[in-house]
Amino acid sequence: MQITTGQNGNEIKIESSIVKVVNAQKSYGKGIQKKVVLDNLCLTVPKGSIYGLLGASGCGKTTLLSCIVGRKNLDHGRLSVFGGVPGDRRTGIPGKRVGYMPQELALYIEFTIKEMLEYFGRIYGMDRHQLQEKIDFLVQFLDLPHFDRVIRTLSGGQQRRVSFAVSLLHDPELLILDEPTVGVDPMLRQSIWNHLIRLAKEEGKTIIITTHYIEEARQASMVGLMRNGHLLAEAPPSTLLEQFNLPSLEDVFLKLCVKHEINDSHDIPTKIPTGTRSLSGTLRKLPLVSDLTLTNTAKRQKRGGSLVYPGSTAMAEDYSIQAISYMKAPEETEFQKIKRRLSMKKKPNSGYNDQVSPGCCQMTVPSPSKIWALIMKNLIKMWRNMAQLLFLFLLPAVQVIFFCVAIGQDPIDLKFAVVNHEVANLTSNCTVTTGCDFTTISCRLLESIFTNSSTLVMVPFETDELAREAVAKGEVWGMAIVPETFTKYFLKRLWSSLDVDNETLVQSSIQVNLDMSNQQVAFQLQKALHEGYQSFFRQLLTDCEFPPEMGDLPLVFKNPVYGDLHPNFTEFMAPGIIILIIFFLALSLTGDIFVTERRDGLLDRSWIAGVLPSEILISHVFTQFLVLAGQTAITLVFIFLVFNIKCEGPLGWIVGLTLLQGTAGMCYGLLLSTIFNDVAATIQFSIGSFYPCLLLSGILWPLEGMPWYLKTISWYLPCTAACQAMRDVMSRGWGIMHPSVYLGYVSTLSWISVFIILSWIVIKVKSS
Ligand SMILES: Nc1ncnc2c1ncn2[C@@H]1O[C@H](COP(=O)(O)OP(=O)(O)OP(=O)(O)O)[C@@H](O)[C@H]1O
């Protein structure tokens, strides 16, 4: 408490206040959407008082509390808590000096009561013994079920009480309680109030409480009546009752509201430049004091003894009284001038530093104990969501199985129509000869194409029209028509070498019409037909004692430098699939965690408890990395051990790159969760990023097939260089010394940095 002398020589005592709000302005939205929520509001909460903030739903109470705890900023006006600016850790907000119970539950519902309290106990640095004692006390005092009960299974009222217990846990100097008595039975409500009164009276704690039960606020030492962002009145309840001569606070509030309404209708409150709009004859006499607390004596002296506000309740007696007024940007009173001068003398810059304990709460360096508490919390959360955990580990395995089993295998049993005009009945009259025998050679050729191939199944047809109709109906994938004199002309073609007429060429050719609507199937059909013919011709040449190579194209494919002579699509896609699975699983997990924690008020609660964003980040990176490592191990085991996909290069580089890609996904998730406020938007954006990644990163199709401009863009996507690097390690056996491989690493590391920097910028922009 400070003592100074007023202009007339009177002694003025300025109570040390814990919270001071001067001319607070706050609005949401912009332009015509703009909604003013706090309008030149002034409020002072003296040390050791219970301040009941009352007002209808939507009048701005929660917004005001959010500003007091440093989670929101005022647009204009001044706000000090413990003599400093909330949000500045030196003041203790955020930190141990405040206990905050938000309106939402803000609890990890999968935790037991004990685990929940232990988590915050660790954050506050409480030792085991102290914590256990406090838990026992709170469970008993708040009539909570056994502390091993899982919060999800508690009733709404019980859950609110656990939330209340969290705010009481560490004996904070300032308690900010947003409707703590909702859903609490009257007996318990009274015992909560008794406890709060005891905390204020015996331990000097300061309490700000909002409640919808106006009458229970009679027990507060001071009430502030709020309406539409204004503070209609601020005084001890007994004073208000006395001045208005009404039996209940509710009646007082109603009366003030009616008066306010009348004034509003005259367009007064928002336009009043200075001074007080008094509410009644009595109120008109009251001074407008917004941020100054006077003792009764001082006020009597100042007002020539004309105004006396007797503290009526036991609690209120101890507190000085604030005047009742519209708290509209008041003209600076004499008292305010004195106070301002005093403040300026104390500290030129802010005038709000008198209660800052330097060093007491400065914790800008991440604390290992808090990180450990957060990691434990994350692990318990994961453990409690066992189904989700299993899903997280099974998902990559299932995806790899689906990929390896379903993708890249050659299509089999493709029905193919055959009309052989050389034989009357294809099934019974077609005799397959062996050796250097040239009788109905078409039967031998068809046998080679269809019997030795798992790709094609021959479906004989009598006429060309029927076969064509079957193709048109989609019953078969193509048709082959063997001319009536095929054998004769085939032999003629064979022996005539280059001297061959057109009729021979036509009559010795099998006419093929394919259904080319499915590129992969058509490609397989062509391949099976070519291979079947080549095998037939090589065998015929061998049987007739000619060199079989005469049947080949004069192009000889020797052993490839890299890869297989017969590469398969699975091996082409595997590197991209590994990257895609890991990147997007990490992305979805991280994006979801942050957004849900923020939505449930848990992130705010932890921040107000003094947890640094960097501590939250480190703990999440740690736990997510465990999951990521598990997912990487499962994915790679299935790819390389179960499905035997070849890896020519060092496996270490594959593991390293996969983990880094997962980290990049995690950081991208972090960025999305900083940008968006709800899960749906995060999911939509994740899906929106999935497709460009899938289509443009060379996962499905070689980059060489893209137009140059798209190829250039593609190289700047997070998965492209990594996918190419992975493919080069797996198929070409290259190591980190090769530019393609280290570029994959460099690109991934760069993307990690970009995502982290952007997240940091978004956080900064949002918080400013
Ligand atoms: N983030 C936001 N964006 C836009 N408007 C908001 C936001 N938060 C609150 N509001 C609006 O501001 C007004 C005041 O909200 P606030 O939550 O502070 O009221 P309250 O007095 O705490 O209400 P209640 O008693 O129902 O909790 C309401 O009209 C609300 O719709």
Side-chain angles (χ1 to χ4, degrees):
M1 185 183 297
Q2 298 153 14
I3 302 175
T4 187
T5 315
Q7 263 185 348
N8 57 5
N10 292 336
E11 189 188 71
I12 301 166
K13 290 180 183 175
I14 302 173
E15 293 281 334
S16 53
S17 56
I18 295 294
V19 177
K20 286 181 195 175
V21 183
V22 182
N23 297 345
Q25 286 264 19
K26 172 87 188 160
S27 52
Y28 293 114
K30 287 196 173 97
I32 50 162
Q33 301 280 339
K34 185 169 172 174
K35 177 171 173 50
V36 177
V37 178
L38 301 180
D39 193 3
N40 269 0
L41 183 139
C42 301
L43 169 151
T44 304
V45 182
K47 187 173 184 337
S49 65
I50 301 180
Y51 192 106
L53 195 57
L54 308 178
S57 177
C59 71
K61 301 183 295 293
T62 303
T63 303
L64 180 60
L65 296 189
S66 300
C67 294
I68 292 173
V69 294
R71 294 310 306 151
K72 285 194 171 102
N73 293 325
L74 292 178
D75 300 340
H76 299 287
R78 289 185 297 163
L79 199 163
S80 84
V81 182
F82 294 125
V85 180
D88 175 353
R89 284 172 186 270
R90 286 173 305 170
T91 62
I93 286 203
K96 284 184 202 179
R97 295 179 82 183
V98 64
Y100 177 53
M101 178 185 175
Q103 208 171 71
E104 61 268 45
L105 200 55
L107 297 174
Y108 293 102
I109 53 168
E110 54 277 82
F111 281 34
T112 62
I113 298 172
K114 189 174 178 195
E115 284 165 349
M116 191 72 245
L117 294 171
E118 277 177 348
Y119 164 63
F120 277 100
R122 284 191 204 109
I123 295 290
Y124 291 124
M126 295 169 76
D127 69 46
R128 274 186 160 278
H129 179 70
Q130 196 187 6
L131 186 59
Q132 191 54 53
E133 259 184 16
K134 204 67 206 256
I135 292 175
D136 291 340
F137 163 74
L138 288 170
V139 167
Q140 200 189 5
F141 161 61
L142 290 169
D143 193 22
L144 292 173
H146 193 269
F147 53 57
D148 279 337
R149 283 279 300 279
V150 174
I151 295 172
R152 181 189 279 118
T153 65
L154 305 182
S155 72
Q158 288 169 331
Q159 290 177 337
R160 298 261 328 138
R161 275 179 274 152
V162 176
S163 178
F164 185 33
V166 168
S167 61
L168 292 175
L169 186 68
H170 57 297
D171 284 331
E173 290 165 57
L174 172 63
L175 262 172
I176 296 181
L177 309 171
D178 204 349
E179 298 184 11
T181 50
V182 167
V184 174
D185 71 74
M187 287 257 295
L188 187 58
R189 211 183 309 155
Q190 190 48 52
S191 102
I192 287 173
W193 270 97
N194 291 343
H195 184 67
L196 295 179
I197 291 169
R198 195 189 61 71
L199 285 178
K201 206 168 184 183
E202 293 173 16
E203 298 181 27
K205 311 281 187 199
T206 309
I207 298 153
I208 304 176
I209 182 169
T210 71
T211 175
H212 279 177
Y213 307 109
I214 292 188
E215 284 314 308
E216 74 179 13
R218 268 176 187 250
Q219 301 165 89
S221 37
M222 184 79 88
V223 288
L225 301 179
M226 260 184 96
R227 185 155 193 267
N228 295 344
H230 304 276
L231 203 62
L232 300 181
E234 186 181 61
S238 55
T239 307
L240 284 173
L241 296 172
E242 197 178 300
Q243 297 297 337
F244 281 87
N245 199 20
L246 287 167
S248 71
L249 276 180
E250 207 150 346
D251 293 334
V252 173
F253 189 46
L254 204 63
K255 187 155 188 174
L256 280 167
C257 287
V258 172
K259 290 279 182 188
H260 184 230
E261 197 69 35
I262 294 165
N263 284 323
D264 250 353
S265 67
H266 291 109
D267 201 17
I268 290 164
T270 49
K271 296 281 191 289
I272 301 169
T274 55
T276 306
R277 290 276 157 190
S278 49
L279 303 169
S280 66
T282 316
L283 287 171
R284 202 171 289 124
K285 294 179 203 158
L286 302 178
L288 174 62
V289 182
S290 57
D291 63 340
L292 183 62
T293 308
L294 304 174
T295 61
N296 294 342
T297 321
K299 283 184 193 140
R300 255 184 236 114
Q301 286 169 341
K302 179 75 187 161
R303 296 276 157 184
S306 60
L307 281 173
V308 179
Y309 306 126
S312 61
T313 65
M315 283 299 299
E317 268 167 12
D318 294 338
Y319 307 116
S320 53
I321 301 158
Q322 286 220 308
I324 303 169
S325 66
Y326 276 115
M327 297 300 168
K328 297 289 301 177
E331 198 171 41
E332 201 172 36
T333 62
E334 200 50 48
F335 302 125
Q336 284 173 298
K337 285 178 190 158
I338 293 162
K339 185 204 159 272
R340 188 164 51 77
R341 283 201 293 275
L342 278 172
S343 305
M344 284 165 71
K345 264 186 214 158
K346 282 181 84 67
K347 191 185 176 198
N349 289 338
S350 72
Y352 283 133
N353 69 338
D354 53 329
Q355 289 170 61
V356 175
S357 359
C360 82
C361 310
Q362 241 173 332
M363 299 165 292
T364 42
V365 177
S367 130
S369 63
K370 278 201 221 151
I371 293 173
W372 181 241
L374 289 160
I375 289 175
M376 289 298 291
K377 179 263 293 178
N378 293 346
L379 291 176
I380 295 174
K381 255 186 96 174
M382 262 191 222
W383 186 250
R384 285 289 141 73
N385 291 305
M386 189 47 95
Q388 192 193 14
L389 193 64
L390 274 177
F391 180 74
L392 285 177
F393 284 115
L394 287 180
L395 196 60
V398 171
Q399 286 177 338
V400 168
I401 291 171
F402 284 160
F403 162 69
C404 290
V405 173
I407 306 283
Q409 318 303 323
D410 289 343
I412 53 166
D413 296 339
L414 303 173
K415 287 186 182 159
F416 203 85
V418 176
V419 185
N420 191 350
H421 292 293
E422 265 204 324
V423 291
N425 186 329
L426 189 54
T427 37
S428 57
N429 296 356
C430 210
T431 313
V432 179
T433 56
T434 53
C436 194
D437 183 339
F438 297 112
T439 325
T440 50
I441 216 159
S442 59
C443 294
R444 188 164 173 177
L445 173 58
L446 293 175
E447 159 87 2
S448 172
I449 292 174
F450 289 98
T451 316
N452 301 330
S453 154
S454 57
T455 310
L456 300 175
V457 175
M458 183 167 69
V459 183
F461 279 88
E462 295 287 319
T463 65
D464 299 2
E465 289 68 35
L466 285 173
R468 192 175 296 279
E469 204 179 305
V471 180
K473 284 183 180 167
E475 290 166 2
V476 291
W477 281 100
M479 58 189 264
I481 298 163
V482 183
E484 205 173 335
T485 50
F486 176 77
T487 304
K488 179 180 147 197
Y489 283 99
F490 180 79
L491 291 174
K492 193 173 170 194
R493 180 178 182 154
L494 198 60
W495 303 131
S496 346
S497 189
L498 292 176
D499 188 19
V500 64
D501 57 63
N502 197 41
E503 190 189 359
T504 308
L505 287 176
V506 172
Q507 294 299 327
S508 64
S509 297
I510 295 176
Q511 202 191 108
V512 177
N513 296 88
L514 293 180
D515 172 356
M516 297 290 275
S517 59
N518 184 322
Q519 194 230 16
Q520 285 300 319
V521 169
F523 170 73
Q524 285 300 323
L525 290 173
Q526 286 173 328
K527 186 167 166 262
L529 290 170
H530 278 132
E531 284 176 354
Y533 172 78
Q534 199 175 19
S535 151
F536 147 79
F537 197 43
R538 276 180 143 256
Q539 188 57 52
L540 191 67
L541 290 172
T542 309
D543 289 347
C544 296
E545 296 179 359
F546 292 110
E549 290 78 11
M550 281 300 290
D552 296 344
L553 283 174
L555 270 178
V556 183
F557 290 97
K558 297 286 188 187
N559 278 341
V561 179
Y562 294 118
D564 230 356
L565 202 52
H566 299 288
N568 69 34
F569 194 61
T570 316
E571 280 173 11
F572 166 74
M573 277 196 65
I577 291 295
I578 295 171
I579 282 181
L580 213 60
I581 290 174
I582 296 299
F583 185 91
F584 281 94
L585 277 179
L587 161 64
S588 57
L589 195 63
T590 317
D592 177 60
I593 283 177
F594 277 99
V595 177
T596 46
E597 285 215 0
R598 190 170 46 207
R599 183 198 59 201
D600 299 341
L602 285 156
L603 222 47
D604 268 2
R605 194 167 207 172
S606 296
W607 271 332
I608 292 162
V611 174
L612 294 170
S614 56
E615 288 163 344
I616 294 180
L617 202 64
I618 294 169
S619 73
H620 273 302
V621 166
F622 181 87
T623 34
Q624 299 260 27
F625 205 80
L626 290 182
V627 177
L628 178 64
Q631 288 176 331
T632 302
I634 290 172
T635 306
L636 297 184
V637 163
F638 270 83
I639 288 268
F640 295 119
L641 298 183
V642 179
F643 288 99
N644 283 324
I645 289 182
K646 279 192 213 134
C647 178
E648 303 289 349
L651 198 62
W653 296 122
I654 298 283
V655 175
L657 198 53
T658 312
L659 287 174
L660 279 182
Q661 273 288 306
T663 313
M666 215 152 69
C667 296
Y668 184 37
L670 172 70
L671 174 63
L672 293 188
S673 65
T674 56
I675 296 173
F676 300 112
N677 292 331
D678 64 307
V679 183
T682 314
I683 291 174
Q684 279 163 9
F685 210 85
S686 309
I687 294 170
S689 347
F690 176 81
Y691 287 103
C693 238
L694 176 71
L695 301 174
L696 300 180
S697 299
I699 294 168
L700 287 182
W701 201 255
L703 294 177
E704 287 74 5
M706 285 185 196
W708 65 268
Y709 52 87
L710 211 53
K711 207 190 301 186
T712 315
I713 296 172
S714 159
W715 277 109
Y716 291 101
L717 295 179
C719 299
T720 310
C723 177
Q724 189 54 48
M726 191 86 107
R727 192 167 283 140
D728 286 340
V729 177
M730 286 172 69
S731 313
R732 292 174 162 153
W734 291 347
I736 192 72
M737 296 315 287
H738 197 282
S740 154
V741 181
Y742 72 67
L743 269 179
Y745 271 83
V746 170
S747 154
T748 310
L749 287 168
S750 309
W751 272 106
I752 292 173
S753 317
V754 167
F755 290 140
I756 290 177
I757 292 167
L758 286 179
S759 309
W760 183 80
I761 292 172
V762 174
I763 290 170
K764 281 276 160 200
V765 168
K766 281 200 166 180
S767 62
S768 66

